[in-house]
Amino acid sequence: MMTARRPGAYVCGIDAAMDVVGGKWKVLILWALNERTCRFGELRRLVPGVTEKVLASHLRELEADGIVHREVHDEVPPRVEYSLTSLGFSLNEALAPLGAWGRENILGGVADTHNSAS
């Protein structure tokens, strides 16, 4: 299980959760990994607009928080794959109602073609 990044500084559970998923890109990275394991280049394509630097930084943070698993395959050239941990899948489940709220209230009920929960 993840340990708090700011021990004692959290006011509530939402505060702690936002520390993990804060920022524009982390939730989109989580949704991209919800369906399958991906390599870095695949994630870049699945999360349009994210820079390589930001993607790499967010993946490192999500890995440190126990949300994403990074697996390096002993091959030439090296192959690195990212996947969600069980904690990451549970976080996506918790985010599903937020995605539904956005679809219903902001997008006006427009269907999401990427993921029905986002």
Side-chain angles (χ1 to χ4, degrees):
M1 182 163 237
M2 171 187 156
T3 59
R5 285 198 241 170
R6 299 180 296 152
Y10 297 119
V11 184
C12 65
I14 293 287
D15 187 20
M18 290 306 296
D19 193 32
V20 175
V21 297
K24 179 178 180 177
W25 304 108
K26 285 185 180 176
V27 172
L28 299 176
I29 294 166
L30 292 173
W31 284 125
L33 289 171
N34 198 53
E35 296 296 319
R36 68 180 191 275
T37 298
C38 293
R39 294 174 72 176
F40 188 88
E42 291 176 281
L43 284 172
R44 270 290 313 275
R45 288 187 293 278
L46 291 170
V47 183
V50 68
T51 65
E52 283 188 26
K53 181 179 178 180
V54 169
L55 179 59
S57 171
H58 284 347
L59 285 169
R60 277 192 300 274
E61 290 172 12
L62 290 166
E63 182 183 10
D65 288 336
I67 305 296
V68 168
H69 172 72
R70 179 179 187 264
E71 184 169 351
V72 180
H73 296 274
D74 190 22
E75 300 174 356
V76 177
R79 179 170 52 105
V80 179
E81 294 180 324
Y82 298 90
S83 60
L84 292 179
T85 63
S86 58
L87 192 59
F89 280 112
S90 71
L91 179 55
N92 263 350
E93 288 174 13
L95 291 169
L98 183 60
W101 182 90
R103 255 191 336 277
E104 293 167 15
N105 296 287
I106 306 300
L107 297 177
V110 175
D112 183 348
T113 58
H114 175 66
N115 188 325
S116 60
S118 64

